[in-house]
Amino acid sequence: MKTTRHATYNLNYHIVWIPKYRQSVLVGEVARHVETILHEIADDKGLEIIDLTIQPDHVHLFVSSPPKHAPSLLANWF
């Protein structure tokens, strides 16, 4: 459990991205670059990435966030 001044929470979101036409573009250097970018965004916004899996044709991101951030806002940030 995590706490803020006004809340105790355990909010985790599973966000999945699929490139158009589900082509295998997330391999090699591109996958490493995507992973670096996602971790930088999480660090900048104060979020915790619980699990990150980059498949050749999609990305699974499991992230923990305080209740002040809407899930749609997280998707926009990432």
Side-chain angles (χ1 to χ4, degrees):
M1 290 297 216
K2 298 176 185 168
T3 61
T4 62
R5 288 187 339 183
H6 304 289
T8 299
Y9 66 94
N10 186 17
L11 288 175
N12 300 315
Y13 299 102
H14 181 212
I15 303 170
V16 180
W17 285 277
I18 302 171
K20 192 170 183 176
Y21 305 121
R22 202 160 179 153
Q23 296 179 356
S24 298
V25 295
L26 301 170
V27 293
E29 186 62 33
V30 174
R32 287 187 291 277
H33 189 62
V34 167
E35 183 176 2
T36 302
I37 290 171
L38 293 176
H39 280 286
E40 287 175 1
I41 292 169
D43 292 341
D44 184 50
K45 301 296 184 181
L47 307 173
E48 177 188 1
I49 293 180
I50 297 170
D51 189 30
L52 173 63
T53 305
I54 300 176
Q55 299 292 320
D57 60 347
H58 64 284
V59 175
H60 287 270
L61 175 65
F62 195 58
V63 64
S64 178
S65 171
K68 66 181 178 179
H69 303 307
S72 61
L73 182 61
L74 296 176
N76 281 336
W77 284 343
F78 287 111

Coordinates of all heavy atoms in Angstrom, one line a residue:
M1 N 0.8 -1.2 0.0 CA 0.0 0.0 0.0 C 0.9 1.2 0.0 O 1.9 1.3 0.7 CB -0.9 0.0 1.2 CG -2.0 -1.0 1.2 SD -3.0 -0.7 -0.1 CE -4.6 -1.2 0.6
K2 N 0.4 2.2 -0.7 CA 1.1 3.5 -0.8 C 0.2 4.6 -0.2 O -1.0 4.4 -0.2 CB 1.5 3.8 -2.2 CG 2.4 2.8 -2.8 CD 2.7 3.1 -4.3 CE 3.5 2.0 -4.8 NZ 3.6 2.0 -6.3
T3 N 0.8 5.6 0.3 CA 0.0 6.7 0.9 C 0.4 8.0 0.4 O 1.5 8.3 0.0 CB 0.1 6.7 2.4 OG1 1.5 6.9 2.7 CG2 -0.3 5.4 3.0
T4 N -0.6 8.9 0.3 CA -0.4 10.4 0.1 C -1.0 11.0 1.4 O -1.4 10.3 2.3 CB -1.1 10.9 -1.1 OG1 -2.5 10.7 -1.0 CG2 -0.7 10.1 -2.4
R5 N -1.0 12.3 1.4 CA -1.6 13.0 2.6 C -3.0 12.7 2.8 O -3.5 12.7 3.9 CB -1.4 14.5 2.4 CG 0.0 15.0 2.6 CD 0.1 16.5 2.6 NE -1.0 17.2 2.0 CZ -1.1 18.5 1.8 NH1 -0.1 19.2 2.2 NH2 -2.1 19.0 1.3
H6 N -3.8 12.4 1.7 CA -5.2 12.3 1.8 C -5.7 10.9 1.4 O -6.9 10.7 1.4 CB -5.9 13.3 0.9 CG -5.5 14.7 1.2 ND1 -5.9 15.3 2.4 CD2 -4.7 15.6 0.6 CE1 -5.4 16.5 2.4 NE2 -4.7 16.7 1.3
A7 N -4.8 10.0 1.0 CA -5.3 8.7 0.5 C -4.3 7.6 0.8 O -3.1 7.8 0.8 CB -5.6 8.8 -1.0
T8 N -4.9 6.4 0.9 CA -4.1 5.1 0.9 C -4.5 4.4 -0.3 O -5.7 4.2 -0.5 CB -4.3 4.3 2.2 OG1 -3.9 5.1 3.3 CG2 -3.5 3.1 2.2
Y9 N -3.6 4.0 -1.2 CA -4.0 3.4 -2.4 C -3.1 2.3 -2.9 O -2.0 2.1 -2.4 CB -4.1 4.5 -3.5 CG -2.7 5.0 -3.8 CD1 -2.0 4.5 -4.9 CD2 -2.2 6.1 -3.1 CE1 -0.7 5.0 -5.2 CE2 -0.9 6.6 -3.4 CZ -0.2 6.1 -4.5 OH 1.0 6.6 -4.8
N10 N -3.6 1.5 -3.8 CA -2.8 0.5 -4.5 C -3.5 0.4 -5.9 O -4.2 -0.5 -6.2 CB -2.9 -0.9 -3.8 CG -2.0 -1.9 -4.4 OD1 -1.1 -1.5 -5.2 ND2 -2.2 -3.1 -4.1
L11 N -3.2 1.4 -6.7 CA -3.8 1.4 -8.1 C -2.7 1.0 -9.1 O -1.6 1.6 -9.2 CB -4.2 2.9 -8.4 CG -5.4 3.4 -7.7 CD1 -5.7 4.8 -8.0 CD2 -6.6 2.5 -8.1
N12 N -3.1 0.0 -9.8 CA -2.2 -0.5 -10.9 C -3.0 -0.6 -12.2 O -4.1 -1.0 -12.2 CB -1.7 -1.9 -10.5 CG -0.9 -1.9 -9.2 OD1 -0.1 -1.0 -9.0 ND2 -1.2 -2.9 -8.4
Y13 N -2.3 -0.2 -13.3 CA -3.0 -0.1 -14.6 C -2.2 -1.0 -15.6 O -1.0 -0.9 -15.6 CB -3.1 1.3 -15.1 CG -3.9 2.2 -14.2 CD1 -3.3 3.1 -13.3 CD2 -5.3 2.2 -14.2 CE1 -4.0 3.9 -12.5 CE2 -6.0 3.0 -13.4 CZ -5.4 3.9 -12.5 OH -6.1 4.7 -11.7
H14 N -2.9 -1.7 -16.4 CA -2.3 -2.5 -17.4 C -2.6 -1.8 -18.7 O -3.8 -1.8 -19.2 CB -2.9 -3.9 -17.4 CG -2.3 -4.8 -18.4 ND1 -3.0 -5.8 -19.0 CD2 -1.1 -4.9 -19.0 CE1 -2.3 -6.5 -19.9 NE2 -1.1 -5.9 -19.9
I15 N -1.6 -1.3 -19.4 CA -1.8 -0.5 -20.6 C -1.1 -1.3 -21.7 O 0.0 -1.8 -21.6 CB -1.2 0.9 -20.5 CG1 -1.8 1.6 -19.3 CG2 -1.3 1.6 -21.8 CD1 -1.1 2.9 -19.0
V16 N -1.8 -1.5 -22.9 CA -1.3 -2.3 -24.0 C -1.3 -1.4 -25.2 O -2.3 -0.7 -25.5 CB -2.1 -3.5 -24.3 CG1 -1.6 -4.3 -25.4 CG2 -2.2 -4.4 -23.0
W17 N -0.2 -1.3 -25.9 CA -0.1 -0.6 -27.2 C 0.2 -1.6 -28.3 O 1.0 -2.5 -28.2 CB 1.1 0.4 -27.2 CG 0.8 1.6 -26.4 CD1 0.1 2.7 -26.8 CD2 1.2 1.9 -25.1 NE1 0.1 3.6 -25.8 CE2 0.8 3.1 -24.7 CE3 1.9 1.1 -24.1 CZ2 1.0 3.7 -23.5 CZ3 2.2 1.6 -22.9 CH2 1.7 2.9 -22.6
I18 N -0.6 -1.4 -29.4 CA -0.4 -2.3 -30.6 C -0.2 -1.3 -31.8 O -1.1 -0.5 -32.1 CB -1.6 -3.2 -30.8 CG1 -1.9 -4.0 -29.6 CG2 -1.5 -4.0 -32.0 CD1 -3.2 -4.8 -29.6
P19 N 1.0 -1.5 -32.5 CA 1.2 -0.6 -33.7 C 0.2 -1.0 -34.8 O -0.4 -2.1 -34.8 CB 2.6 -1.0 -34.1 CG 3.3 -1.6 -32.9 CD 2.2 -2.2 -32.1
K20 N 0.0 0.0 -35.6 CA -1.0 -0.2 -36.7 C -0.6 -1.4 -37.5 O 0.5 -1.7 -37.8 CB -1.0 1.1 -37.6 CG -2.1 1.1 -38.6 CD -2.2 2.5 -39.2 CE -3.4 2.5 -40.2 NZ -3.6 3.8 -40.8
Y21 N -1.6 -2.2 -37.9 CA -1.5 -3.4 -38.7 C -0.7 -4.5 -38.0 O -0.4 -5.5 -38.5 CB -0.9 -3.2 -40.0 CG -1.6 -2.1 -40.8 CD1 -1.0 -1.0 -41.3 CD2 -3.0 -2.3 -41.1 CE1 -1.7 0.0 -42.0 CE2 -3.7 -1.3 -41.8 CZ -3.0 -0.2 -42.2 OH -3.7 0.8 -42.9
R22 N -0.4 -4.3 -36.7 CA 0.3 -5.3 -35.8 C 1.5 -5.9 -36.5 O 1.7 -7.1 -36.5 CB -0.7 -6.4 -35.4 CG -0.2 -7.1 -34.2 CD -1.3 -7.8 -33.5 NE -0.8 -8.4 -32.3 CZ -1.5 -8.7 -31.2 NH1 -2.7 -8.4 -31.2 NH2 -0.9 -9.3 -30.2
Q23 N 2.4 -5.0 -37.0 CA 3.6 -5.4 -37.6 C 4.7 -5.6 -36.6 O 4.7 -4.9 -35.6 CB 4.0 -4.5 -38.7 CG 3.0 -4.4 -39.8 CD 3.5 -3.3 -40.9 OE1 4.5 -2.7 -40.7 NE2 2.7 -3.2 -42.0
S24 N 5.7 -6.5 -36.8 CA 6.8 -6.7 -35.9 C 7.9 -5.7 -36.1 O 8.9 -5.9 -36.7 CB 7.3 -8.1 -36.2 OG 6.3 -9.1 -35.9
V25 N 7.6 -4.5 -35.5 CA 8.6 -3.4 -35.6 C 9.3 -3.1 -34.3 O 10.3 -2.4 -34.3 CB 7.9 -2.1 -36.0 CG1 7.3 -2.2 -37.4 CG2 6.8 -1.7 -35.0
L26 N 8.9 -3.7 -33.2 CA 9.5 -3.4 -31.9 C 10.5 -4.5 -31.5 O 10.4 -5.3 -30.6 CB 8.4 -3.4 -30.8 CG 7.3 -2.4 -31.0 CD1 6.2 -2.6 -30.0 CD2 7.9 -1.0 -30.9
V27 N 11.6 -4.5 -32.3 CA 12.7 -5.5 -32.1 C 14.0 -4.7 -32.1 O 14.2 -3.6 -32.6 CB 12.7 -6.5 -33.2 CG1 11.5 -7.4 -33.2 CG2 12.8 -5.9 -34.6
G28 N 15.0 -5.3 -31.5 CA 16.4 -4.8 -31.5 C 16.5 -3.4 -30.8 O 16.1 -3.2 -29.7
E29 N 17.2 -2.5 -31.5 CA 17.4 -1.2 -31.0 C 16.1 -0.4 -30.8 O 16.1 0.4 -29.8 CB 18.3 -0.4 -32.0 CG 18.8 0.9 -31.6 CD 19.6 0.9 -30.3 OE1 20.4 -0.1 -30.2 OE2 19.5 1.8 -29.5
V30 N 15.1 -0.6 -31.6 CA 13.9 0.1 -31.4 C 13.2 -0.3 -30.1 O 12.8 0.5 -29.3 CB 12.9 -0.2 -32.6 CG1 11.5 0.4 -32.3 CG2 13.4 0.3 -33.9
A31 N 13.3 -1.6 -29.7 CA 12.7 -2.1 -28.5 C 13.5 -1.5 -27.3 O 12.9 -1.1 -26.3 CB 12.7 -3.6 -28.4
R32 N 14.8 -1.5 -27.4 CA 15.6 -0.9 -26.3 C 15.3 0.6 -26.1 O 15.2 1.1 -25.0 CB 17.1 -1.1 -26.5 CG 17.5 -2.6 -26.3 CD 19.0 -2.8 -26.4 NE 19.5 -2.6 -27.7 CZ 19.5 -3.5 -28.7 NH1 19.0 -4.7 -28.4 NH2 20.0 -3.3 -29.8
H33 N 15.1 1.3 -27.2 CA 14.8 2.7 -27.2 C 13.5 3.0 -26.6 O 13.3 3.9 -25.7 CB 14.9 3.3 -28.6 CG 14.9 4.8 -28.6 ND1 15.8 5.6 -28.0 CD2 14.0 5.7 -29.2 CE1 15.5 6.9 -28.2 NE2 14.3 6.9 -28.9
V34 N 12.5 2.2 -26.9 CA 11.1 2.3 -26.4 C 11.2 2.1 -24.9 O 10.6 2.8 -24.1 CB 10.1 1.4 -27.1 CG1 8.8 1.3 -26.3 CG2 9.9 1.8 -28.5
E35 N 11.9 1.1 -24.4 CA 12.0 0.8 -23.0 C 12.7 1.9 -22.2 O 12.2 2.4 -21.2 CB 12.9 -0.5 -22.8 CG 13.0 -0.9 -21.4 CD 13.7 -2.2 -21.2 OE1 14.2 -2.8 -22.2 OE2 13.8 -2.6 -20.0
T36 N 13.7 2.5 -22.8 CA 14.4 3.7 -22.2 C 13.4 4.9 -22.1 O 13.3 5.5 -21.0 CB 15.6 4.1 -23.0 OG1 16.5 3.0 -23.1 CG2 16.3 5.2 -22.4
I37 N 12.7 5.1 -23.1 CA 11.7 6.3 -23.1 C 10.7 6.1 -22.1 O 10.3 7.0 -21.3 CB 11.1 6.5 -24.5 CG1 12.2 7.0 -25.5 CG2 9.9 7.4 -24.4 CD1 11.7 7.0 -26.9
L38 N 10.1 4.9 -22.0 CA 9.0 4.6 -21.0 C 9.5 4.8 -19.6 O 8.8 5.3 -18.7 CB 8.4 3.2 -21.2 CG 7.7 3.0 -22.5 CD1 7.2 1.6 -22.7 CD2 6.5 4.0 -22.6
H39 N 10.7 4.3 -19.3 CA 11.3 4.4 -17.9 C 11.6 5.9 -17.6 O 11.4 6.4 -16.5 CB 12.6 3.6 -17.8 CG 12.3 2.2 -17.5 ND1 11.8 1.7 -16.3 CD2 12.4 1.1 -18.3 CE1 11.7 0.4 -16.3 NE2 12.0 0.0 -17.6
E40 N 12.1 6.7 -18.6 CA 12.3 8.1 -18.4 C 11.0 8.8 -18.1 O 11.0 9.7 -17.2 CB 13.0 8.7 -19.6 CG 14.4 8.4 -19.8 CD 15.0 8.9 -21.1 OE1 14.3 9.6 -21.9 OE2 16.2 8.6 -21.4
I41 N 9.9 8.5 -18.8 CA 8.6 9.2 -18.5 C 8.2 8.8 -17.1 O 7.7 9.7 -16.4 CB 7.6 8.8 -19.6 CG1 8.0 9.3 -21.0 CG2 6.2 9.2 -19.2 CD1 7.2 8.8 -22.1
A42 N 8.3 7.6 -16.7 CA 7.8 7.1 -15.4 C 8.6 7.9 -14.3 O 8.1 8.3 -13.3 CB 8.0 5.6 -15.3
D43 N 9.9 8.0 -14.5 CA 10.8 8.7 -13.5 C 10.4 10.1 -13.4 O 10.3 10.7 -12.3 CB 12.2 8.5 -13.8 CG 12.7 7.1 -13.7 OD1 12.1 6.3 -12.9 OD2 13.8 6.8 -14.2
D44 N 10.2 10.8 -14.6 CA 9.8 12.2 -14.6 C 8.5 12.5 -14.0 O 8.3 13.5 -13.3 CB 9.8 12.6 -16.1 CG 9.5 14.1 -16.2 OD1 10.2 14.9 -15.5 OD2 8.7 14.5 -17.0
K45 N 7.5 11.6 -14.1 CA 6.2 11.8 -13.6 C 6.0 11.2 -12.2 O 4.9 11.3 -11.6 CB 5.1 11.2 -14.5 CG 5.1 11.7 -15.9 CD 4.8 13.2 -15.9 CE 4.8 13.7 -17.4 NZ 4.4 15.2 -17.4
G46 N 7.0 10.5 -11.7 CA 6.9 9.9 -10.3 C 6.0 8.6 -10.3 O 5.4 8.3 -9.3
L47 N 6.0 7.9 -11.4 CA 5.3 6.6 -11.4 C 6.2 5.4 -11.3 O 7.4 5.5 -11.5 CB 4.5 6.5 -12.8 CG 3.7 7.7 -13.2 CD1 3.2 7.6 -14.6 CD2 2.5 7.9 -12.2
E48 N 5.6 4.3 -10.9 CA 6.4 3.1 -10.8 C 6.0 2.1 -11.8 O 4.9 1.6 -11.9 CB 6.2 2.5 -9.4 CG 6.9 1.2 -9.2 CD 6.6 0.5 -7.9 OE1 5.7 1.0 -7.1 OE2 7.1 -0.6 -7.6
I49 N 7.0 1.7 -12.7 CA 6.7 0.6 -13.6 C 6.9 -0.7 -12.9 O 8.0 -1.0 -12.5 CB 7.6 0.7 -14.9 CG1 7.3 2.0 -15.7 CG2 7.5 -0.5 -15.7 CD1 8.1 2.2 -16.9
I50 N 5.8 -1.5 -12.8 CA 5.9 -2.8 -12.1 C 6.4 -3.8 -13.1 O 7.2 -4.7 -12.7 CB 4.5 -3.1 -11.6 CG1 4.1 -2.1 -10.5 CG2 4.5 -4.5 -11.0 CD1 2.7 -2.2 -10.1
D51 N 5.9 -3.8 -14.3 CA 6.4 -4.8 -15.3 C 6.2 -4.1 -16.7 O 5.3 -3.4 -17.0 CB 5.5 -6.0 -15.3 CG 6.1 -7.1 -16.1 OD1 7.3 -7.2 -16.3 OD2 5.3 -8.0 -16.6
L52 N 7.2 -4.4 -17.5 CA 7.2 -3.9 -18.9 C 7.7 -5.0 -19.8 O 8.8 -5.6 -19.6 CB 8.2 -2.7 -19.0 CG 8.4 -2.1 -20.4 CD1 7.1 -1.6 -21.0 CD2 9.5 -1.1 -20.4
T53 N 6.8 -5.4 -20.7 CA 7.2 -6.4 -21.7 C 7.0 -5.9 -23.1 O 5.9 -5.4 -23.5 CB 6.3 -7.6 -21.5 OG1 6.4 -8.1 -20.2 CG2 6.7 -8.8 -22.5
I54 N 8.1 -5.9 -23.9 CA 8.0 -5.4 -25.2 C 8.1 -6.6 -26.2 O 9.1 -7.2 -26.3 CB 9.1 -4.4 -25.5 CG1 9.0 -3.2 -24.6 CG2 9.1 -3.9 -27.0 CD1 10.1 -2.2 -24.7
Q55 N 7.0 -6.9 -26.8 CA 6.9 -8.0 -27.8 C 7.2 -7.4 -29.2 O 7.1 -6.1 -29.4 CB 5.6 -8.6 -27.7 CG 5.2 -9.3 -26.4 CD 6.1 -10.5 -26.1 OE1 6.4 -11.3 -27.0 NE2 6.5 -10.6 -24.9
P56 N 7.5 -8.2 -30.2 CA 7.8 -7.6 -31.5 C 6.6 -6.8 -32.1 O 6.8 -5.9 -32.9 CB 8.0 -8.8 -32.4 CG 8.6 -9.8 -31.4 CD 7.8 -9.6 -30.1
D57 N 5.3 -7.2 -31.7 CA 4.2 -6.5 -32.3 C 3.3 -5.8 -31.3 O 2.2 -5.3 -31.6 CB 3.3 -7.5 -33.1 CG 2.8 -8.6 -32.2 OD1 3.3 -8.8 -31.1 OD2 1.9 -9.4 -32.7
H58 N 3.7 -5.7 -30.0 CA 2.9 -4.9 -29.0 C 3.7 -4.7 -27.7 O 4.7 -5.4 -27.5 CB 1.5 -5.6 -28.7 CG 1.6 -6.9 -28.1 ND1 2.0 -8.1 -28.7 CD2 1.4 -7.3 -26.8 CE1 2.0 -9.1 -27.9 NE2 1.7 -8.7 -26.7
V59 N 3.2 -3.8 -26.9 CA 3.9 -3.5 -25.6 C 2.9 -3.6 -24.5 O 1.7 -3.1 -24.6 CB 4.4 -2.0 -25.6 CG1 5.0 -1.7 -24.3 CG2 5.4 -1.8 -26.7
H60 N 3.3 -4.3 -23.4 CA 2.5 -4.4 -22.2 C 3.2 -3.6 -21.1 O 4.4 -3.8 -20.8 CB 2.4 -5.9 -21.7 CG 1.5 -6.8 -22.5 ND1 0.2 -6.9 -22.2 CD2 1.8 -7.5 -23.6 CE1 -0.3 -7.7 -23.1 NE2 0.6 -8.1 -23.9
L61 N 2.5 -2.7 -20.5 CA 3.0 -1.9 -19.5 C 2.1 -2.0 -18.2 O 0.9 -1.7 -18.3 CB 3.1 -0.4 -19.9 CG 3.5 0.6 -18.9 CD1 5.0 0.4 -18.5 CD2 3.4 2.0 -19.4
F62 N 2.6 -2.4 -17.1 CA 1.9 -2.5 -15.9 C 2.5 -1.5 -14.9 O 3.7 -1.6 -14.5 CB 2.0 -3.9 -15.3 CG 1.1 -4.3 -14.2 CD1 -0.3 -4.2 -14.5 CD2 1.5 -4.7 -13.0 CE1 -1.2 -4.5 -13.5 CE2 0.6 -5.0 -12.0 CZ -0.8 -4.9 -12.2
V63 N 1.7 -0.4 -14.6 CA 2.3 0.7 -13.9 C 1.4 1.1 -12.7 O 0.2 0.9 -12.7 CB 2.4 1.9 -14.9 CG1 1.0 2.4 -15.4 CG2 3.1 3.1 -14.2
S64 N 2.0 1.5 -11.6 CA 1.3 2.0 -10.4 C 1.3 3.5 -10.4 O 2.3 4.1 -10.7 CB 2.1 1.4 -9.2 OG 1.4 1.9 -8.0
S65 N 0.2 4.1 -10.0 CA 0.0 5.5 -10.1 C -0.8 6.0 -8.9 O -1.7 5.3 -8.5 CB -0.7 5.9 -11.4 OG -1.0 7.3 -11.4
P66 N -0.6 7.2 -8.4 CA -1.5 7.7 -7.4 C -2.9 8.0 -8.0 O -3.0 8.2 -9.2 CB -0.8 9.0 -6.9 CG 0.4 9.2 -7.8 CD 0.5 8.0 -8.7
P67 N -3.9 8.1 -7.1 CA -5.3 8.3 -7.6 C -5.5 9.6 -8.3 O -6.5 9.8 -9.0 CB -6.1 8.2 -6.3 CG -5.2 8.2 -5.2 CD -3.8 7.9 -5.7
K68 N -4.6 10.6 -8.2 CA -4.8 11.9 -8.8 C -4.6 11.8 -10.3 O -5.0 12.8 -11.0 CB -3.9 13.0 -8.2 CG -2.4 12.7 -8.5 CD -1.6 13.8 -7.8 CE -0.1 13.6 -8.1 NZ 0.7 14.6 -7.5
H69 N -4.1 10.8 -10.8 CA -3.8 10.6 -12.3 C -4.9 9.7 -12.9 O -5.0 8.5 -12.5 CB -2.5 10.1 -12.6 CG -1.3 10.9 -12.0 ND1 -1.2 12.2 -12.3 CD2 -0.3 10.5 -11.3 CE1 -0.1 12.6 -11.6 NE2 0.5 11.6 -11.0
A70 N -5.6 10.2 -13.9 CA -6.6 9.4 -14.6 C -5.9 8.4 -15.5 O -4.8 8.7 -16.0 CB -7.5 10.2 -15.4
P71 N -6.4 7.2 -15.7 CA -5.8 6.2 -16.6 C -5.6 6.8 -18.0 O -4.6 6.5 -18.7 CB -6.8 5.1 -16.7 CG -7.6 5.2 -15.4 CD -7.6 6.6 -15.1
S72 N -6.5 7.6 -18.5 CA -6.3 8.2 -19.8 C -5.1 9.2 -19.9 O -4.4 9.3 -20.9 CB -7.6 9.0 -20.3 OG -7.9 10.0 -19.3
L73 N -4.9 9.8 -18.8 CA -3.7 10.7 -18.7 C -2.4 9.9 -18.7 O -1.4 10.3 -19.4 CB -3.8 11.5 -17.4 CG -2.7 12.6 -17.1 CD1 -2.6 13.6 -18.2 CD2 -2.8 13.2 -15.8
L74 N -2.4 8.8 -18.0 CA -1.2 7.9 -18.1 C -0.9 7.4 -19.5 O 0.2 7.4 -20.0 CB -1.4 6.7 -17.2 CG -1.6 6.9 -15.7 CD1 -1.9 5.6 -14.9 CD2 -0.4 7.6 -15.1
A75 N -2.0 7.0 -20.2 CA -1.8 6.6 -21.6 C -1.3 7.7 -22.5 O -0.4 7.5 -23.3 CB -3.1 6.1 -22.1
N76 N -1.7 8.9 -22.2 CA -1.2 10.1 -23.0 C 0.2 10.3 -22.7 O 1.0 10.6 -23.6 CB -2.1 11.3 -22.7 CG -3.4 11.3 -23.4 OD1 -3.5 10.7 -24.4 ND2 -4.3 12.0 -22.9
W77 N 0.6 10.3 -21.4 CA 2.0 10.5 -21.1 C 2.9 9.5 -21.7 O 4.0 9.8 -22.2 CB 2.2 10.4 -19.6 CG 1.7 11.6 -18.8 CD1 1.4 12.9 -19.3 CD2 1.5 11.7 -17.4 NE1 1.0 13.7 -18.3 CE2 1.0 13.0 -17.2 CE3 1.6 10.8 -16.4 CZ2 0.7 13.4 -15.9 CZ3 1.2 11.2 -15.1 CH2 0.8 12.5 -14.9
F78 N 2.6 8.2 -21.6 CA 3.4 7.2 -22.2 C 3.3 7.1 -23.7 O 4.2 6.8 -24.4 CB 3.1 5.8 -21.6 CG 3.5 5.7 -20.2 CD1 2.7 5.6 -19.1 CD2 4.9 5.6 -19.9 CE1 3.1 5.5 -17.8 CE2 5.3 5.5 -18.5 CZ 4.4 5.4 -17.5

